[in-house]
Amino acid sequence: MTGATPLRLVVVDDHEMVVQGLKAMLGPFRGRVRVVGTAHDAEAALAAAVSLEPDIVLCDVRMAGESGLDLCRRLRDRLPDQKVVLLSVYDDEQYLFQALRAGAAGYLLKRIGGEELVRQLELAATGTTVVDATMAGRAAASAARLERNEFWPGARLGLTHRESEVLALLVAGHSNRSIAAELVIGEETVKSHVRAVLRKLDVPDRTAAVAVALREGVFR
């Protein structure tokens, strides 16, 4: 995009060091990408998007308070044409699927280099959905298996078979002790699985996890 107007970017992350690191990484490419604003939470990011009208909001997936996924949904409602590219350390497919459902224009990993990040942002600005190449291959394979109904309930939310069993028992109202007895595992193991379910569903507690399961029609 040499000679073109630089993309206007708002960078969002709840860690100032990450924000400054991204600005430094993108500095050599200021002829192609220009950081016009930064934010450390979803509320400030929404305000920046409204006032600055950037081409792209580049946002971390997980932040204190509202997540990048929450921000995607809010921007989709408030500014339907605003493009959001999520940047994350998590290469779990459930985050990718959730990001696309939330309306994200892309999902990239924080291990990406500056040149490649700029190239992907330029593609996103044209309307192309950009996804980390390794994740894209795995996601395509998973999607094909889902179409063939080869997965267990909860797989399309990124849950393992055991996590799916735990969530089903949560939906049924079981306590940790009851789940441990039902699955013949320790209570600490149950707690570990519950934490994984909450993280993967991007929810704060068991009640919210049950709500997601019911809303998505995974368990009834």
Side-chain angles (χ1 to χ4, degrees):
M1 293 184 65
T2 303
T5 302
L7 293 177
R8 303 176 73 256
L9 192 69
V10 166
V11 174
V12 187
D13 197 290
D14 57 350
H15 293 95
E16 176 65 19
M17 185 168 63
V18 175
V19 171
Q20 294 304 321
L22 285 168
K23 289 176 68 176
M25 177 188 289
L26 295 171
F29 307 96
R30 59 179 55 87
R32 297 163 63 184
V33 174
R34 184 160 60 94
V35 177
V36 297
T38 63
H40 297 105
D41 57 49
E43 196 66 40
L46 181 62
V50 171
S51 64
L52 298 173
E53 299 182 349
D55 297 299
I56 294 175
V57 172
L58 180 64
C59 181
D60 189 16
V61 170
R62 295 186 63 83
M63 300 186 292
E66 290 184 280
S67 69
L69 297 170
D70 294 322
L71 176 61
C72 270
R73 298 182 189 103
R74 292 182 67 184
L75 284 171
R76 183 178 59 189
D77 293 339
R78 181 78 177 271
L79 303 168
D81 296 327
Q82 176 66 67
K83 292 180 174 61
V84 180
V85 173
L86 293 173
L87 193 61
S88 178
V89 297
Y90 298 103
D91 64 354
D92 293 340
E93 291 160 46
Q94 76 275 0
Y95 282 117
L96 169 59
F97 292 142
Q98 289 175 19
L100 297 180
R101 286 203 300 269
Y107 189 99
L108 303 173
L109 299 180
K110 287 186 176 180
R111 64 192 180 201
I112 195 170
E115 175 70 40
E116 180 62 14
L117 176 57
V118 171
R119 189 178 75 84
Q120 295 293 339
L121 292 174
E122 289 172 341
L123 286 172
T126 69
T128 301
T129 299
V130 295
V131 176
D132 174 82
T134 302
M135 291 190 68
R138 295 206 313 267
S142 295
R145 293 185 68 189
L146 285 168
E147 285 295 317
R148 296 194 299 268
N149 198 30
E150 293 181 5
F151 274 131
W152 48 87
R156 63 187 177 84
L157 298 179
L159 303 183
T160 65
H161 187 272
R162 179 62 89 188
E163 290 162 359
S164 225
E165 290 178 322
V166 169
L167 180 56
L169 291 170
L170 289 178
V171 171
H174 288 254
S175 65
N176 285 350
R177 178 174 295 182
S178 177
I179 293 172
E182 183 75 20
L183 300 179
V184 196
I185 57 178
E187 281 192 59
E188 289 303 315
T189 301
V190 171
K191 291 178 183 177
S192 177
H193 287 314
V194 170
R195 287 194 295 269
V197 168
L198 300 185
R199 175 176 63 82
K200 290 183 176 183
L201 299 186
D202 193 35
V203 294
D205 53 41
R206 299 156 70 104
T207 301
V210 169
V212 170
L214 295 176
R215 185 182 71 233
E216 298 286 338
V218 178
F219 303 105
R220 300 183 185 280

